[in-house]
Amino acid sequence: EAGVTQFPSHSVIEKGQTVTLRCDPISGHDNLYWYRRVMGKEIKFLLHFVKESKQDESGMPNNRFLAERTGGTYSTLKVQPAELEDSGVYFCASSQVGTGGEKLFFGSGTQLSVL
Amino acid sequence: DAKTTQPNSMESNEEEPVHLPCNHSTISGTDYIHWYRQLPSQGPEYVIHGLTSNVNNRMASLAIAEDRKSSTLILHRATLRDAAVYYCILRPFVSLQGAQKLVFGQGTRLTINP
């Protein structure tokens, strides 16, 4: 069974540019989560999709971040325009629908560096 | 979100058991106790979870105190590959299928000596 796949694994961009991160969840997983780790800080929740709907986007830092999950399959996270403080590792996770006891499967992350 | 408290770091030797503690004194009766770990340069990885009873799987054991205000993750025989940051996370049970996010804290950085 394929795991959660994230693309690209690394991205280096200049301040002001746009970057789009992609996440392919495990097939059949309706829940999809985005997380971010900024260097030296804790892993922080960004948002949660259930199928194509945003269940919780309370962790999105500002309106420069846009997440989509068209058709309830893969998801994209766009940062436009990117700022220096957006640098970090962005993780995607997916899980089956459940009541809190199900496990989350994480991808290896996208390392974003904004110069 | 109910909070957990873990030691910042722990150290152990290879092939010895490791007991990673977690305090969660404000746990509610319907909170699951989840453990995840993050190996270097990888995403977090599920380890184990439980509600009230102790749990065992191929990776580890989870011992839950009778009052549920603390738990211990047990690695029975640590290997170098177990060196990681271990996170103890409370996750509420929801009656409808709308499970909530995991909230990560600082975790415990486990070092394994050869």
PDB file of all heavy atoms in Angstrom, chain B residues 37-76:
ATOM      1  N   ARG B  37       6.080   9.366  16.981  1.00  0.00           N
ATOM      2  CA  ARG B  37       7.490   9.692  17.058  1.00  0.00           C
ATOM      3  C   ARG B  37       7.943  10.258  15.722  1.00  0.00           C
ATOM      4  O   ARG B  37       7.346   9.989  14.690  1.00  0.00           O
ATOM      5  CB  ARG B  37       8.325   8.475  17.446  1.00  0.00           C
ATOM      6  CG  ARG B  37       8.436   7.412  16.359  1.00  0.00           C
ATOM      7  CD  ARG B  37       9.282   6.257  16.851  1.00  0.00           C
ATOM      8  NE  ARG B  37       9.510   5.250  15.802  1.00  0.00           N
ATOM      9  CZ  ARG B  37      10.203   4.134  15.987  1.00  0.00           C
ATOM     10  NH1 ARG B  37      10.750   3.867  17.173  1.00  0.00           N
ATOM     11  NH2 ARG B  37      10.367   3.274  14.992  1.00  0.00           N
ATOM     12  N   GLN B  38       8.991  11.048  15.791  1.00  0.00           N
ATOM     13  CA  GLN B  38       9.554  11.611  14.570  1.00  0.00           C
ATOM     14  C   GLN B  38      11.031  11.298  14.510  1.00  0.00           C
ATOM     15  O   GLN B  38      11.809  11.814  15.335  1.00  0.00           O
ATOM     16  CB  GLN B  38       9.318  13.121  14.481  1.00  0.00           C
ATOM     17  CG  GLN B  38       9.766  13.698  13.141  1.00  0.00           C
ATOM     18  CD  GLN B  38       9.445  15.159  12.985  1.00  0.00           C
ATOM     19  OE1 GLN B  38       9.252  15.879  13.962  1.00  0.00           O
ATOM     20  NE2 GLN B  38       9.384  15.611  11.755  1.00  0.00           N
ATOM     21  N   LEU B  39      11.394  10.475  13.568  1.00  0.00           N
ATOM     22  CA  LEU B  39      12.802  10.185  13.323  1.00  0.00           C
ATOM     23  C   LEU B  39      13.403  11.319  12.521  1.00  0.00           C
ATOM     24  O   LEU B  39      12.693  12.072  11.846  1.00  0.00           O
ATOM     25  CB  LEU B  39      12.950   8.854  12.563  1.00  0.00           C
ATOM     26  CG  LEU B  39      12.812   7.570  13.393  1.00  0.00           C
ATOM     27  CD1 LEU B  39      11.401   7.357  13.899  1.00  0.00           C
ATOM     28  CD2 LEU B  39      13.287   6.360  12.591  1.00  0.00           C
ATOM     29  N   PRO B  40      14.712  11.471  12.570  1.00  0.00           N
ATOM     30  CA  PRO B  40      15.361  12.563  11.832  1.00  0.00           C
ATOM     31  C   PRO B  40      14.997  12.555  10.349  1.00  0.00           C
ATOM     32  O   PRO B  40      14.993  11.508   9.704  1.00  0.00           O
ATOM     33  CB  PRO B  40      16.860  12.276  12.041  1.00  0.00           C
ATOM     34  CG  PRO B  40      16.918  11.517  13.313  1.00  0.00           C
ATOM     35  CD  PRO B  40      15.681  10.680  13.351  1.00  0.00           C
ATOM     36  N   SER B  41      14.648  13.727   9.843  1.00  0.00           N
ATOM     37  CA  SER B  41      14.353  13.935   8.421  1.00  0.00           C
ATOM     38  C   SER B  41      13.147  13.143   7.924  1.00  0.00           C
ATOM     39  O   SER B  41      13.033  12.862   6.730  1.00  0.00           O
ATOM     40  CB  SER B  41      15.576  13.579   7.555  1.00  0.00           C
ATOM     41  OG  SER B  41      16.683  14.352   7.943  1.00  0.00           O
ATOM     42  N   GLN B  42      12.248  12.777   8.821  1.00  0.00           N
ATOM     43  CA  GLN B  42      11.037  12.076   8.410  1.00  0.00           C
ATOM     44  C   GLN B  42       9.809  12.749   9.020  1.00  0.00           C
ATOM     45  O   GLN B  42       9.924  13.561   9.930  1.00  0.00           O
ATOM     46  CB  GLN B  42      11.094  10.608   8.857  1.00  0.00           C
ATOM     47  CG  GLN B  42      12.174   9.793   8.174  1.00  0.00           C
ATOM     48  CD  GLN B  42      12.070   8.328   8.506  1.00  0.00           C
ATOM     49  OE1 GLN B  42      10.981   7.818   8.786  1.00  0.00           O
ATOM     50  NE2 GLN B  42      13.193   7.621   8.493  1.00  0.00           N
ATOM     51  N   GLY B  43       8.650  12.375   8.515  1.00  0.00           N
ATOM     52  CA  GLY B  43       7.419  12.850   9.113  1.00  0.00           C
ATOM     53  C   GLY B  43       7.111  12.059  10.366  1.00  0.00           C
ATOM     54  O   GLY B  43       7.667  10.985  10.596  1.00  0.00           O
ATOM     55  N   PRO B  44       6.231  12.571  11.200  1.00  0.00           N
ATOM     56  CA  PRO B  44       5.833  11.822  12.395  1.00  0.00           C
ATOM     57  C   PRO B  44       5.270  10.454  12.029  1.00  0.00           C
ATOM     58  O   PRO B  44       4.702  10.264  10.951  1.00  0.00           O
ATOM     59  CB  PRO B  44       4.753  12.722  13.024  1.00  0.00           C
ATOM     60  CG  PRO B  44       5.075  14.093  12.546  1.00  0.00           C
ATOM     61  CD  PRO B  44       5.594  13.893  11.150  1.00  0.00           C
ATOM     62  N   GLU B  45       5.452   9.531  12.953  1.00  0.00           N
ATOM     63  CA  GLU B  45       5.041   8.142  12.724  1.00  0.00           C
ATOM     64  C   GLU B  45       4.216   7.680  13.914  1.00  0.00           C
ATOM     65  O   GLU B  45       4.623   7.874  15.070  1.00  0.00           O
ATOM     66  CB  GLU B  45       6.298   7.290  12.570  1.00  0.00           C
ATOM     67  CG  GLU B  45       6.068   5.797  12.475  1.00  0.00           C
ATOM     68  CD  GLU B  45       7.376   5.014  12.505  1.00  0.00           C
ATOM     69  OE1 GLU B  45       8.301   5.412  13.229  1.00  0.00           O
ATOM     70  OE2 GLU B  45       7.457   3.986  11.815  1.00  0.00           O
ATOM     71  N   TYR B  46       3.083   7.072  13.652  1.00  0.00           N
ATOM     72  CA  TYR B  46       2.237   6.535  14.716  1.00  0.00           C
ATOM     73  C   TYR B  46       2.965   5.429  15.461  1.00  0.00           C
ATOM     74  O   TYR B  46       3.640   4.585  14.844  1.00  0.00           O
ATOM     75  CB  TYR B  46       0.949   5.986  14.109  1.00  0.00           C
ATOM     76  CG  TYR B  46       0.094   5.164  15.048  1.00  0.00           C
ATOM     77  CD1 TYR B  46      -0.800   5.780  15.917  1.00  0.00           C
ATOM     78  CD2 TYR B  46       0.190   3.777  15.057  1.00  0.00           C
ATOM     79  CE1 TYR B  46      -1.592   5.017  16.771  1.00  0.00           C
ATOM     80  CE2 TYR B  46      -0.583   3.014  15.910  1.00  0.00           C
ATOM     81  CZ  TYR B  46      -1.478   3.635  16.764  1.00  0.00           C
ATOM     82  OH  TYR B  46      -2.247   2.882  17.611  1.00  0.00           O
ATOM     83  N   VAL B  47       2.829   5.443  16.782  1.00  0.00           N
ATOM     84  CA  VAL B  47       3.434   4.376  17.585  1.00  0.00           C
ATOM     85  C   VAL B  47       2.350   3.508  18.216  1.00  0.00           C
ATOM     86  O   VAL B  47       2.292   2.301  17.999  1.00  0.00           O
ATOM     87  CB  VAL B  47       4.347   4.956  18.688  1.00  0.00           C
ATOM     88  CG1 VAL B  47       4.925   3.829  19.539  1.00  0.00           C
ATOM     89  CG2 VAL B  47       5.475   5.793  18.076  1.00  0.00           C
ATOM     90  N   ILE B  48       1.467   4.140  18.971  1.00  0.00           N
ATOM     91  CA  ILE B  48       0.461   3.373  19.701  1.00  0.00           C
ATOM     92  C   ILE B  48      -0.577   4.329  20.263  1.00  0.00           C
ATOM     93  O   ILE B  48      -0.317   5.537  20.341  1.00  0.00           O
ATOM     94  CB  ILE B  48       1.151   2.575  20.845  1.00  0.00           C
ATOM     95  CG1 ILE B  48       0.298   1.401  21.329  1.00  0.00           C
ATOM     96  CG2 ILE B  48       1.532   3.502  22.002  1.00  0.00           C
ATOM     97  CD1 ILE B  48       1.086   0.424  22.213  1.00  0.00           C
ATOM     98  N   HIS B  49      -1.741   3.836  20.599  1.00  0.00           N
ATOM     99  CA  HIS B  49      -2.701   4.669  21.306  1.00  0.00           C
ATOM    100  C   HIS B  49      -3.576   3.792  22.197  1.00  0.00           C
ATOM    101  O   HIS B  49      -3.672   2.568  21.985  1.00  0.00           O
ATOM    102  CB  HIS B  49      -3.553   5.496  20.343  1.00  0.00           C
ATOM    103  CG  HIS B  49      -4.685   4.732  19.694  1.00  0.00           C
ATOM    104  ND1 HIS B  49      -4.491   3.925  18.598  1.00  0.00           N
ATOM    105  CD2 HIS B  49      -5.993   4.671  19.990  1.00  0.00           C
ATOM    106  CE1 HIS B  49      -5.643   3.400  18.237  1.00  0.00           C
ATOM    107  NE2 HIS B  49      -6.578   3.828  19.061  1.00  0.00           N
ATOM    108  N   GLY B  50      -4.196   4.436  23.169  1.00  0.00           N
ATOM    109  CA  GLY B  50      -5.080   3.711  24.071  1.00  0.00           C
ATOM    110  C   GLY B  50      -6.098   4.644  24.693  1.00  0.00           C
ATOM    111  O   GLY B  50      -5.997   5.863  24.578  1.00  0.00           O
ATOM    112  N   LEU B  51      -7.057   4.039  25.365  1.00  0.00           N
ATOM    113  CA  LEU B  51      -8.101   4.836  26.015  1.00  0.00           C
ATOM    114  C   LEU B  51      -8.060   4.618  27.530  1.00  0.00           C
ATOM    115  O   LEU B  51      -7.859   5.549  28.281  1.00  0.00           O
ATOM    116  CB  LEU B  51      -9.474   4.447  25.465  1.00  0.00           C
ATOM    117  CG  LEU B  51     -10.653   5.326  25.889  1.00  0.00           C
ATOM    118  CD1 LEU B  51     -10.436   6.773  25.473  1.00  0.00           C
ATOM    119  CD2 LEU B  51     -11.957   4.802  25.302  1.00  0.00           C
ATOM    120  N   THR B  52      -8.234   3.380  27.963  1.00  0.00           N
ATOM    121  CA  THR B  52      -8.209   3.096  29.399  1.00  0.00           C
ATOM    122  C   THR B  52      -7.277   1.935  29.743  1.00  0.00           C
ATOM    123  O   THR B  52      -6.550   1.985  30.729  1.00  0.00           O
ATOM    124  CB  THR B  52      -9.609   2.754  29.926  1.00  0.00           C
ATOM    125  OG1 THR B  52     -10.126   1.657  29.166  1.00  0.00           O
ATOM    126  CG2 THR B  52     -10.548   3.943  29.784  1.00  0.00           C
ATOM    127  N   SER B  53      -7.277   0.920  28.909  1.00  0.00           N
ATOM    128  CA  SER B  53      -6.489  -0.277  29.212  1.00  0.00           C
ATOM    129  C   SER B  53      -5.104  -0.193  28.596  1.00  0.00           C
ATOM    130  O   SER B  53      -4.884   0.512  27.613  1.00  0.00           O
ATOM    131  CB  SER B  53      -7.199  -1.518  28.654  1.00  0.00           C
ATOM    132  OG  SER B  53      -8.491  -1.628  29.179  1.00  0.00           O
ATOM    133  N   ASN B  54      -4.177  -0.933  29.177  1.00  0.00           N
ATOM    134  CA  ASN B  54      -2.841  -1.023  28.599  1.00  0.00           C
ATOM    135  C   ASN B  54      -2.916  -1.654  27.213  1.00  0.00           C
ATOM    136  O   ASN B  54      -3.795  -2.478  26.933  1.00  0.00           O
ATOM    137  CB  ASN B  54      -1.928  -1.835  29.507  1.00  0.00           C
ATOM    138  CG  ASN B  54      -1.687  -1.165  30.842  1.00  0.00           C
ATOM    139  OD1 ASN B  54      -1.925   0.035  31.010  1.00  0.00           O
ATOM    140  ND2 ASN B  54      -1.227  -1.932  31.822  1.00  0.00           N
ATOM    141  N   VAL B  55      -1.992  -1.259  26.360  1.00  0.00           N
ATOM    142  CA  VAL B  55      -2.012  -1.707  24.966  1.00  0.00           C
ATOM    143  C   VAL B  55      -0.627  -2.187  24.579  1.00  0.00           C
ATOM    144  O   VAL B  55       0.385  -1.636  25.038  1.00  0.00           O
ATOM    145  CB  VAL B  55      -2.439  -0.556  24.034  1.00  0.00           C
ATOM    146  CG1 VAL B  55      -2.551  -1.043  22.593  1.00  0.00           C
ATOM    147  CG2 VAL B  55      -3.743   0.069  24.490  1.00  0.00           C
ATOM    148  N   ASN B  56      -0.586  -3.196  23.733  1.00  0.00           N
ATOM    149  CA  ASN B  56       0.678  -3.680  23.202  1.00  0.00           C
ATOM    150  C   ASN B  56       0.568  -3.780  21.684  1.00  0.00           C
ATOM    151  O   ASN B  56      -0.474  -4.171  21.162  1.00  0.00           O
ATOM    152  CB  ASN B  56       1.011  -5.074  23.749  1.00  0.00           C
ATOM    153  CG  ASN B  56       1.155  -5.079  25.250  1.00  0.00           C
ATOM    154  OD1 ASN B  56       2.051  -4.458  25.801  1.00  0.00           O
ATOM    155  ND2 ASN B  56       0.244  -5.785  25.920  1.00  0.00           N
ATOM    156  N   ASN B  57       1.636  -3.433  21.005  1.00  0.00           N
ATOM    157  CA  ASN B  57       1.740  -3.737  19.578  1.00  0.00           C
ATOM    158  C   ASN B  57       3.182  -4.092  19.287  1.00  0.00           C
ATOM    159  O   ASN B  57       4.016  -4.181  20.203  1.00  0.00           O
ATOM    160  CB  ASN B  57       1.190  -2.601  18.712  1.00  0.00           C
ATOM    161  CG  ASN B  57       2.002  -1.326  18.778  1.00  0.00           C
ATOM    162  OD1 ASN B  57       3.178  -1.326  19.156  1.00  0.00           O
ATOM    163  ND2 ASN B  57       1.378  -0.224  18.416  1.00  0.00           N
ATOM    164  N   ARG B  58       3.499  -4.275  18.004  1.00  0.00           N
ATOM    165  CA  ARG B  58       4.832  -4.767  17.666  1.00  0.00           C
ATOM    166  C   ARG B  58       5.909  -3.720  17.955  1.00  0.00           C
ATOM    167  O   ARG B  58       7.085  -4.040  18.051  1.00  0.00           O
ATOM    168  CB  ARG B  58       4.885  -5.189  16.202  1.00  0.00           C
ATOM    169  CG  ARG B  58       4.651  -4.063  15.221  1.00  0.00           C
ATOM    170  CD  ARG B  58       4.862  -4.496  13.783  1.00  0.00           C
ATOM    171  NE  ARG B  58       4.672  -3.377  12.871  1.00  0.00           N
ATOM    172  CZ  ARG B  58       5.589  -2.457  12.619  1.00  0.00           C
ATOM    173  NH1 ARG B  58       6.776  -2.528  13.208  1.00  0.00           N
ATOM    174  NH2 ARG B  58       5.343  -1.465  11.790  1.00  0.00           N
ATOM    175  N   MET B  59       5.509  -2.461  18.067  1.00  0.00           N
ATOM    176  CA  MET B  59       6.494  -1.412  18.277  1.00  0.00           C
ATOM    177  C   MET B  59       6.744  -1.151  19.754  1.00  0.00           C
ATOM    178  O   MET B  59       7.879  -0.863  20.149  1.00  0.00           O
ATOM    179  CB  MET B  59       6.047  -0.107  17.624  1.00  0.00           C
ATOM    180  CG  MET B  59       6.094  -0.100  16.112  1.00  0.00           C
ATOM    181  SD  MET B  59       5.568   1.485  15.448  1.00  0.00           S
ATOM    182  CE  MET B  59       6.917   2.541  15.930  1.00  0.00           C
ATOM    183  N   ALA B  60       5.669  -1.156  20.540  1.00  0.00           N
ATOM    184  CA  ALA B  60       5.801  -0.695  21.916  1.00  0.00           C
ATOM    185  C   ALA B  60       4.627  -1.164  22.760  1.00  0.00           C
ATOM    186  O   ALA B  60       3.702  -1.798  22.266  1.00  0.00           O
ATOM    187  CB  ALA B  60       5.861   0.835  21.929  1.00  0.00           C
ATOM    188  N   SER B  61       4.686  -0.797  24.029  1.00  0.00           N
ATOM    189  CA  SER B  61       3.563  -0.998  24.950  1.00  0.00           C
ATOM    190  C   SER B  61       3.186   0.341  25.546  1.00  0.00           C
ATOM    191  O   SER B  61       4.038   1.229  25.703  1.00  0.00           O
ATOM    192  CB  SER B  61       3.937  -1.966  26.066  1.00  0.00           C
ATOM    193  OG  SER B  61       4.185  -3.247  25.562  1.00  0.00           O
ATOM    194  N   LEU B  62       1.929   0.482  25.862  1.00  0.00           N
ATOM    195  CA  LEU B  62       1.435   1.700  26.499  1.00  0.00           C
ATOM    196  C   LEU B  62       0.795   1.308  27.811  1.00  0.00           C
ATOM    197  O   LEU B  62      -0.163   0.518  27.834  1.00  0.00           O
ATOM    198  CB  LEU B  62       0.408   2.397  25.592  1.00  0.00           C
ATOM    199  CG  LEU B  62      -0.271   3.641  26.163  1.00  0.00           C
ATOM    200  CD1 LEU B  62       0.763   4.713  26.507  1.00  0.00           C
ATOM    201  CD2 LEU B  62      -1.298   4.195  25.172  1.00  0.00           C
ATOM    202  N   ALA B  63       1.348   1.859  28.888  1.00  0.00           N
ATOM    203  CA  ALA B  63       0.810   1.611  30.216  1.00  0.00           C
ATOM    204  C   ALA B  63       0.075   2.867  30.662  1.00  0.00           C
ATOM    205  O   ALA B  63       0.667   3.951  30.709  1.00  0.00           O
ATOM    206  CB  ALA B  63       1.931   1.272  31.192  1.00  0.00           C
ATOM    207  N   ILE B  64      -1.195   2.721  30.985  1.00  0.00           N
ATOM    208  CA  ILE B  64      -2.035   3.862  31.368  1.00  0.00           C
ATOM    209  C   ILE B  64      -2.373   3.734  32.836  1.00  0.00           C
ATOM    210  O   ILE B  64      -2.864   2.693  33.292  1.00  0.00           O
ATOM    211  CB  ILE B  64      -3.324   3.893  30.517  1.00  0.00           C
ATOM    212  CG1 ILE B  64      -2.958   4.004  29.030  1.00  0.00           C
ATOM    213  CG2 ILE B  64      -4.211   5.064  30.940  1.00  0.00           C
ATOM    214  CD1 ILE B  64      -4.151   3.863  28.096  1.00  0.00           C
ATOM    215  N   ALA B  65      -2.128   4.800  33.583  1.00  0.00           N
ATOM    216  CA  ALA B  65      -2.437   4.801  35.009  1.00  0.00           C
ATOM    217  C   ALA B  65      -3.928   4.610  35.228  1.00  0.00           C
ATOM    218  O   ALA B  65      -4.744   4.966  34.371  1.00  0.00           O
ATOM    219  CB  ALA B  65      -1.973   6.107  35.638  1.00  0.00           C
ATOM    220  N   GLU B  66      -4.259   4.078  36.378  1.00  0.00           N
ATOM    221  CA  GLU B  66      -5.669   3.779  36.665  1.00  0.00           C
ATOM    222  C   GLU B  66      -6.539   5.037  36.616  1.00  0.00           C
ATOM    223  O   GLU B  66      -7.669   4.996  36.147  1.00  0.00           O
ATOM    224  CB  GLU B  66      -5.784   3.127  38.043  1.00  0.00           C
ATOM    225  CG  GLU B  66      -7.095   2.396  38.263  1.00  0.00           C
ATOM    226  CD  GLU B  66      -7.051   1.524  39.504  1.00  0.00           C
ATOM    227  OE1 GLU B  66      -5.975   1.007  39.855  1.00  0.00           O
ATOM    228  OE2 GLU B  66      -8.116   1.385  40.134  1.00  0.00           O
ATOM    229  N   ASP B  67      -6.001   6.161  37.084  1.00  0.00           N
ATOM    230  CA  ASP B  67      -6.760   7.420  37.042  1.00  0.00           C
ATOM    231  C   ASP B  67      -6.610   8.139  35.715  1.00  0.00           C
ATOM    232  O   ASP B  67      -7.158   9.231  35.528  1.00  0.00           O
ATOM    233  CB  ASP B  67      -6.367   8.338  38.203  1.00  0.00           C
ATOM    234  CG  ASP B  67      -4.906   8.786  38.127  1.00  0.00           C
ATOM    235  OD1 ASP B  67      -4.228   8.450  37.137  1.00  0.00           O
ATOM    236  OD2 ASP B  67      -4.441   9.444  39.056  1.00  0.00           O
ATOM    237  N   ARG B  68      -5.832   7.578  34.810  1.00  0.00           N
ATOM    238  CA  ARG B  68      -5.591   8.097  33.463  1.00  0.00           C
ATOM    239  C   ARG B  68      -4.871   9.441  33.440  1.00  0.00           C
ATOM    240  O   ARG B  68      -4.799  10.083  32.407  1.00  0.00           O
ATOM    241  CB  ARG B  68      -6.892   8.202  32.667  1.00  0.00           C
ATOM    242  CG  ARG B  68      -7.601   6.892  32.490  1.00  0.00           C
ATOM    243  CD  ARG B  68      -8.468   6.752  31.257  1.00  0.00           C
ATOM    244  NE  ARG B  68      -9.068   7.984  30.799  1.00  0.00           N
ATOM    245  CZ  ARG B  68      -8.949   8.443  29.556  1.00  0.00           C
ATOM    246  NH1 ARG B  68      -8.237   7.800  28.669  1.00  0.00           N
ATOM    247  NH2 ARG B  68      -9.552   9.565  29.213  1.00  0.00           N
ATOM    248  N   LYS B  69      -4.323   9.852  34.537  1.00  0.00           N
ATOM    249  CA  LYS B  69      -3.644  11.152  34.561  1.00  0.00           C
ATOM    250  C   LYS B  69      -2.197  11.052  34.130  1.00  0.00           C
ATOM    251  O   LYS B  69      -1.481  12.062  34.070  1.00  0.00           O
ATOM    252  CB  LYS B  69      -3.762  11.779  35.948  1.00  0.00           C
ATOM    253  CG  LYS B  69      -5.199  12.137  36.293  1.00  0.00           C
ATOM    254  CD  LYS B  69      -5.310  12.901  37.585  1.00  0.00           C
ATOM    255  CE  LYS B  69      -6.766  13.315  37.815  1.00  0.00           C
ATOM    256  NZ  LYS B  69      -6.939  14.117  39.024  1.00  0.00           N
ATOM    257  N   SER B  70      -1.750   9.878  33.847  1.00  0.00           N
ATOM    258  CA  SER B  70      -0.404   9.710  33.319  1.00  0.00           C
ATOM    259  C   SER B  70      -0.340   8.419  32.508  1.00  0.00           C
ATOM    260  O   SER B  70      -1.200   7.536  32.651  1.00  0.00           O
ATOM    261  CB  SER B  70       0.637   9.676  34.436  1.00  0.00           C
ATOM    262  OG  SER B  70       0.444   8.525  35.230  1.00  0.00           O
ATOM    263  N   SER B  71       0.658   8.345  31.662  1.00  0.00           N
ATOM    264  CA  SER B  71       0.880   7.124  30.889  1.00  0.00           C
ATOM    265  C   SER B  71       2.372   6.975  30.622  1.00  0.00           C
ATOM    266  O   SER B  71       3.137   7.942  30.775  1.00  0.00           O
ATOM    267  CB  SER B  71       0.093   7.152  29.570  1.00  0.00           C
ATOM    268  OG  SER B  71       0.495   8.239  28.756  1.00  0.00           O
ATOM    269  N   THR B  72       2.757   5.773  30.230  1.00  0.00           N
ATOM    270  CA  THR B  72       4.164   5.493  29.954  1.00  0.00           C
ATOM    271  C   THR B  72       4.267   4.675  28.674  1.00  0.00           C
ATOM    272  O   THR B  72       3.593   3.642  28.540  1.00  0.00           O
ATOM    273  CB  THR B  72       4.811   4.696  31.102  1.00  0.00           C
ATOM    274  OG1 THR B  72       4.688   5.442  32.318  1.00  0.00           O
ATOM    275  CG2 THR B  72       6.285   4.441  30.814  1.00  0.00           C
ATOM    276  N   LEU B  73       5.081   5.170  27.783  1.00  0.00           N
ATOM    277  CA  LEU B  73       5.384   4.415  26.568  1.00  0.00           C
ATOM    278  C   LEU B  73       6.599   3.556  26.858  1.00  0.00           C
ATOM    279  O   LEU B  73       7.618   4.063  27.341  1.00  0.00           O
ATOM    280  CB  LEU B  73       5.678   5.352  25.400  1.00  0.00           C
ATOM    281  CG  LEU B  73       6.037   4.661  24.090  1.00  0.00           C
ATOM    282  CD1 LEU B  73       4.811   3.958  23.508  1.00  0.00           C
ATOM    283  CD2 LEU B  73       6.606   5.661  23.082  1.00  0.00           C
ATOM    284  N   ILE B  74       6.502   2.278  26.570  1.00  0.00           N
ATOM    285  CA  ILE B  74       7.588   1.355  26.874  1.00  0.00           C
ATOM    286  C   ILE B  74       8.127   0.756  25.572  1.00  0.00           C
ATOM    287  O   ILE B  74       7.383   0.133  24.809  1.00  0.00           O
ATOM    288  CB  ILE B  74       7.101   0.219  27.800  1.00  0.00           C
ATOM    289  CG1 ILE B  74       6.531   0.815  29.095  1.00  0.00           C
ATOM    290  CG2 ILE B  74       8.246  -0.749  28.110  1.00  0.00           C
ATOM    291  CD1 ILE B  74       5.732  -0.162  29.918  1.00  0.00           C
ATOM    292  N   LEU B  75       9.411   1.004  25.356  1.00  0.00           N
ATOM    293  CA  LEU B  75      10.128   0.326  24.273  1.00  0.00           C
ATOM    294  C   LEU B  75      10.886  -0.804  24.943  1.00  0.00           C
ATOM    295  O   LEU B  75      11.765  -0.563  25.770  1.00  0.00           O
ATOM    296  CB  LEU B  75      11.087   1.286  23.569  1.00  0.00           C
ATOM    297  CG  LEU B  75      10.483   2.592  23.053  1.00  0.00           C
ATOM    298  CD1 LEU B  75      11.566   3.455  22.405  1.00  0.00           C
ATOM    299  CD2 LEU B  75       9.356   2.326  22.086  1.00  0.00           C
ATOM    300  N   HIS B  76      10.568  -2.024  24.602  1.00  0.00           N
ATOM    301  CA  HIS B  76      11.074  -3.151  25.385  1.00  0.00           C
ATOM    302  C   HIS B  76      12.567  -3.398  25.202  1.00  0.00           C
ATOM    303  O   HIS B  76      13.239  -3.822  26.136  1.00  0.00           O
ATOM    304  CB  HIS B  76      10.267  -4.400  25.050  1.00  0.00           C
ATOM    305  CG  HIS B  76       8.833  -4.276  25.470  1.00  0.00           C
ATOM    306  ND1 HIS B  76       8.457  -4.381  26.782  1.00  0.00           N
ATOM    307  CD2 HIS B  76       7.706  -4.029  24.763  1.00  0.00           C
ATOM    308  CE1 HIS B  76       7.136  -4.207  26.871  1.00  0.00           C
ATOM    309  NE2 HIS B  76       6.665  -3.994  25.659  1.00  0.00           N
TER     310      HIS B  76
END
